[in-house]
Amino acid sequence: MTSPRLDFLIATTAALPWLTGTSVNPLFRARELARRGARVQLQLPWIEPAGQALVFPPGVRLASPREQEAWIRDHHALGDLKLGFYPARYRESLYGIFPTRALDKDLPACQTLILEEPDHLPLLQPWARFRRRRFGRVIGILHTNYLYYLKPYLSPVQLKIARRYFAWIAKKSCDALVALSAAVEIHPTAAVENVNGVADEYFFNSTQPTSGCYFIGKVIWEKGFAELIGAFADAGGGEALSVFGSGVKGSDQAIAEAARARSARLDFRAPLARPWQDLAPYRALVNCSESEVLCTTTAEALAMGKWAVIPRHPSNVFFEQFASCLTYRTPEELRAAIRRVRAEPPPACDRSALGWSAATDRLLRIEASLAR
């Protein structure tokens, strides 16, 4: 056995080929730890083929966990990283994947257990016990600001109950909580640290950007589309905003109709399989969303050497250190930033803090503090 400090099990709430942050980031976290000589296993949800249509890309159906593992390894070089699976299903009413049996009993022993989204993984299993002897210590990484999505649908009393439940279930499962940014509302005792990185592919693009702005992500109102439509309304001069993504329950059609009604120049396109290649010609990401805790696509844009136009918000504080990041507070400042990125090339800046090596260093410092 290698050093116990580098013996990790990472359990997450999503898996490729579903293209979402909690399928991609834990995979790269595990890969980076394995590259450093740690014995690492990544525990992923397995959804039966009948339910895969709800999350997987069209035409991608996998008959077994072994077939899913082969698909993942075909798309990413994982070396000696081990993959495991737990039975799960996608619940449409909750917009997420959840274990179908007690997850704590499905996990092998480890020195350090990392729960990606500890307020999600055991949400429907409050009896799950992760702090037991076969898990030396448990770290929970908070990816999602769930209250942001719940506020429009819950009464103040219901929201207060939800806030307490999310906080309780994460705290009871973990020895330490790490929030990717201060945008997480329900865990005031969590350490705030960006422990996510950007894949190597995004740093090695030599193509000079020649045109245009883009947005990439889910086409839902919570991603800031009201602000995007306002910024690109009434022609607004310059090129259209390319929007890469798909909606939920017809949200993309509703947003497209709203854009047409305002004569907003939004060009809706399909999701991208290799964004580090397909986005090469673009000069800037315009991302008005305030729903993320820390936005992966913003980090990727900065890693590719592009401008990133984003709101001044707690979720974006980490990005403000980069010269190619432009923040705004008002619609006027947003439109001014868009004019600037259309006119000027992005400045050069040190992007090393965005990589998985730096992100893993930050995580290991937190892990080491628990070992003292």
Side-chain angles (χ1 to χ4, degrees), residues 1 3 69 86 105 110 132 167 280 349:
M1 181 175 179
S3 171
E69 177 172 352
Y86 63 86
K105 296 178 181 178
C110 63
R132 51 173 63 183
C349 57

Side-chain angles (χ1 to χ4, degrees), residues 1 4-5 7-8 109-113 134-137 367:
M1 181 175 179
R5 192 173 69 85
D7 189 9
F8 292 90
C110 63
Q111 184 62 37
T112 300
L113 171 63
R134 58 198 185 91
F135 307 132
R137 46 190 167 267
E367 195 266 348

Side-chain angles (χ1 to χ4, degrees), residues 23 48 79 134 161 279:
S23 61
E48 294 291 338
R134 58 198 185 91
I161 294 171
L279 295 173

